[in-house]
Coordinates of all heavy atoms in Angstrom, one line a residue:
T149 N 44.8 -24.7 -47.5 CA 44.7 -23.2 -47.6 C 43.2 -22.9 -47.5 O 42.4 -23.3 -48.3 CB 45.3 -22.7 -48.9 OG1 46.6 -23.1 -49.0 CG2 45.1 -21.2 -49.1
T150 N 42.9 -22.1 -46.5 CA 41.5 -21.8 -46.2 C 41.2 -20.3 -46.3 O 42.0 -19.5 -45.8 CB 41.1 -22.3 -44.8 OG1 41.4 -23.7 -44.7 CG2 39.6 -22.1 -44.5
T151 N 40.1 -19.9 -47.0 CA 39.8 -18.5 -47.0 C 39.0 -18.1 -45.7 O 38.1 -18.7 -45.3 CB 38.8 -18.2 -48.2 OG1 39.6 -18.5 -49.4 CG2 38.4 -16.7 -48.2
V152 N 39.6 -17.1 -45.0 CA 39.1 -16.6 -43.8 C 38.6 -15.2 -43.9 O 39.3 -14.3 -44.4 CB 40.2 -16.7 -42.7 CG1 39.7 -16.1 -41.4 CG2 40.7 -18.1 -42.5
H153 N 37.4 -14.9 -43.4 CA 36.8 -13.6 -43.5 C 37.2 -12.9 -42.1 O 37.0 -13.4 -41.0 CB 35.3 -13.6 -43.7 CG 34.9 -14.4 -44.9 ND1 35.1 -13.9 -46.1 CD2 34.4 -15.6 -45.1 CE1 34.7 -14.8 -47.1 NE2 34.3 -15.8 -46.4
V154 N 37.6 -11.6 -42.3 CA 38.1 -10.8 -41.1 C 37.2 -9.7 -40.8 O 36.9 -8.9 -41.7 CB 39.6 -10.4 -41.4 CG1 40.2 -9.7 -40.2 CG2 40.5 -11.5 -41.8
S155 N 36.9 -9.5 -39.5 CA 36.2 -8.3 -39.1 C 36.9 -7.8 -37.8 O 37.5 -8.6 -37.1 CB 34.7 -8.6 -38.9 OG 34.5 -9.5 -37.9
V156 N 36.7 -6.5 -37.6 CA 37.3 -5.9 -36.4 C 36.3 -5.0 -35.7 O 35.5 -4.3 -36.4 CB 38.5 -5.0 -36.8 CG1 39.0 -4.2 -35.6 CG2 39.6 -5.8 -37.4
R157 N 36.1 -5.1 -34.4 CA 35.2 -4.3 -33.7 C 36.0 -3.4 -32.6 O 36.8 -4.0 -31.9 CB 34.1 -5.2 -33.0 CG 33.0 -4.4 -32.5 CD 31.9 -5.3 -31.9 NE 30.9 -5.7 -32.9 CZ 30.6 -7.0 -33.2 NH1 31.2 -8.0 -32.6 NH2 29.7 -7.2 -34.1
L158 N 35.7 -2.1 -32.6 CA 36.4 -1.2 -31.7 C 35.3 -0.9 -30.6 O 34.2 -0.4 -30.8 CB 36.8 0.1 -32.4 CG 37.7 0.0 -33.7 CD1 38.1 1.3 -34.1 CD2 38.9 -0.9 -33.4
Y159 N 35.8 -1.0 -29.3 CA 35.0 -0.6 -28.2 C 35.6 0.7 -27.6 O 36.8 0.9 -27.6 CB 35.1 -1.7 -27.1 CG 34.3 -2.9 -27.5 CD1 35.0 -4.0 -28.2 CD2 33.0 -3.1 -27.1 CE1 34.3 -5.1 -28.6 CE2 32.3 -4.3 -27.5 CZ 32.9 -5.2 -28.2 OH 32.3 -6.4 -28.6
D160 N 34.6 1.6 -27.2 CA 35.0 2.9 -26.7 C 36.0 2.9 -25.5 O 36.7 3.9 -25.2 CB 33.9 3.8 -26.5 CG 33.0 3.3 -25.3 OD1 33.0 2.2 -25.0 OD2 32.3 4.2 -24.7
F161 N 36.0 1.8 -24.7 CA 36.9 1.7 -23.6 C 38.3 1.2 -23.9 O 39.0 0.8 -23.1 CB 36.2 0.9 -22.4 CG 35.7 -0.4 -22.8 CD1 36.4 -1.5 -23.0 CD2 34.3 -0.5 -23.0 CE1 35.9 -2.8 -23.3 CE2 33.7 -1.7 -23.4 CZ 34.5 -2.9 -23.5
G162 N 38.6 1.2 -25.2 CA 40.1 0.9 -25.6 C 40.4 -0.5 -26.1 O 41.5 -0.8 -26.2
V163 N 39.4 -1.3 -26.4 CA 39.6 -2.7 -26.8 C 39.3 -2.8 -28.2 O 38.4 -2.3 -28.8 CB 38.6 -3.6 -26.0 CG1 38.7 -5.1 -26.6 CG2 39.1 -3.7 -24.5
V164 N 40.2 -3.6 -28.9 CA 40.0 -4.0 -30.3 C 39.7 -5.5 -30.4 O 40.6 -6.2 -29.8 CB 41.2 -3.6 -31.2 CG1 41.1 -4.2 -32.6 CG2 41.5 -2.1 -31.3
A165 N 38.6 -5.9 -30.9 CA 38.3 -7.3 -31.0 C 38.4 -7.7 -32.5 O 37.7 -7.2 -33.3 CB 36.9 -7.6 -30.4
I166 N 39.2 -8.7 -32.8 CA 39.3 -9.2 -34.1 C 38.7 -10.6 -34.2 O 38.9 -11.4 -33.4 CB 40.8 -9.3 -34.5 CG1 41.5 -8.0 -34.4 CG2 41.0 -9.9 -35.9 CD1 43.0 -8.1 -34.5
T167 N 37.9 -10.8 -35.3 CA 37.2 -12.1 -35.5 C 37.7 -12.7 -36.9 O 37.6 -12.0 -37.9 CB 35.7 -11.9 -35.5 OG1 35.3 -11.4 -34.3 CG2 35.0 -13.3 -35.7
L168 N 38.1 -13.9 -36.8 CA 38.4 -14.6 -38.0 C 37.3 -15.6 -38.2 O 37.0 -16.5 -37.3 CB 39.7 -15.4 -38.0 CG 41.0 -14.6 -37.6 CD1 42.2 -15.5 -37.6 CD2 41.2 -13.4 -38.6
R169 N 36.6 -15.6 -39.4 CA 35.4 -16.3 -39.6 C 35.7 -17.4 -40.7 O 36.0 -17.0 -41.8 CB 34.3 -15.4 -40.1 CG 32.8 -15.9 -40.0 CD 31.9 -14.8 -40.4 NE 31.9 -13.7 -39.5 CZ 31.2 -13.6 -38.4 NH1 30.4 -14.5 -38.1 NH2 31.4 -12.5 -37.7
I170 N 35.6 -18.7 -40.3 CA 35.8 -19.8 -41.2 C 34.5 -20.5 -41.6 O 33.9 -21.1 -40.7 CB 36.8 -20.8 -40.6 CG1 38.2 -20.1 -40.3 CG2 37.1 -21.9 -41.6 CD1 38.3 -19.7 -38.9
P171 N 34.1 -20.4 -42.8 CA 32.8 -21.0 -43.1 C 32.8 -22.5 -43.0 O 33.9 -23.1 -43.3 CB 32.5 -20.5 -44.6 CG 33.5 -19.4 -44.8 CD 34.6 -19.6 -43.9
V172 N 31.7 -23.1 -42.7 CA 31.5 -24.6 -42.7 C 30.4 -25.0 -43.6 O 29.2 -24.5 -43.4 CB 31.3 -25.1 -41.3 CG1 31.1 -26.6 -41.2 CG2 32.5 -24.7 -40.4
L173 N 30.6 -25.8 -44.6 CA 29.6 -26.2 -45.5 C 29.7 -27.7 -45.8 O 30.7 -28.3 -46.1 CB 29.7 -25.5 -46.9 CG 29.6 -23.9 -46.9 CD1 29.9 -23.4 -48.2 CD2 28.1 -23.6 -46.5
D174 N 28.6 -28.4 -45.5 CA 28.4 -29.8 -45.7 C 29.6 -30.6 -45.2 O 30.2 -31.5 -45.8 CB 28.3 -30.1 -47.3 CG 27.0 -29.5 -47.8 OD1 26.0 -29.6 -47.2 OD2 27.1 -29.0 -49.0
Q175 N 29.8 -30.3 -43.9 CA 30.9 -31.1 -43.2 C 30.3 -32.1 -42.3 O 29.3 -31.8 -41.6 CB 31.7 -30.1 -42.3 CG 32.7 -29.2 -43.1 CD 34.0 -29.9 -43.3 OE1 34.2 -31.1 -42.9 NE2 35.0 -29.2 -43.8
P176 N 30.8 -33.3 -42.2 CA 30.4 -34.3 -41.1 C 30.7 -33.7 -39.8 O 31.6 -32.9 -39.6 CB 31.1 -35.5 -41.4 CG 32.3 -35.1 -42.2 CD 31.9 -33.9 -43.0
W177 N 29.9 -34.1 -38.7 CA 30.2 -33.6 -37.4 C 31.7 -33.8 -37.0 O 32.3 -32.9 -36.4 CB 29.3 -34.2 -36.4 CG 29.4 -33.6 -35.0 CD1 30.2 -34.0 -34.0 CD2 28.8 -32.4 -34.6 NE1 30.1 -33.2 -32.9 CE2 29.2 -32.2 -33.3 CE3 27.8 -31.5 -35.2 CZ2 28.8 -31.1 -32.5 CZ3 27.4 -30.5 -34.4 CH2 27.9 -30.3 -33.1
S178 N 32.2 -35.0 -37.3 CA 33.6 -35.2 -37.0 C 34.6 -34.2 -37.7 O 35.6 -33.8 -37.2 CB 34.0 -36.7 -37.3 OG 33.8 -36.9 -38.7
G179 N 34.1 -33.8 -38.9 CA 34.9 -32.8 -39.6 C 34.9 -31.5 -38.9 O 35.8 -30.7 -38.9
L180 N 33.7 -31.1 -38.4 CA 33.6 -29.8 -37.6 C 34.5 -29.9 -36.4 O 35.3 -29.0 -36.1 CB 32.2 -29.6 -37.1 CG 31.9 -28.4 -36.2 CD1 32.3 -27.1 -36.9 CD2 30.5 -28.4 -35.7

Side-chain angles (χ1 to χ4, degrees):
T149 300
T150 305
T151 299
V152 175
H153 304 288
V154 183
S155 62
V156 174
R157 193 176 268 127
L158 308 183
Y159 290 86
D160 66 335
F161 47 82
V163 169
V164 173
I166 301 171
T167 300
L168 304 182
R169 194 177 301 269
I170 302 96
V172 176
L173 295 172
D174 294 322
Q175 284 272 9
W177 186 266
S178 58
L180 176 63

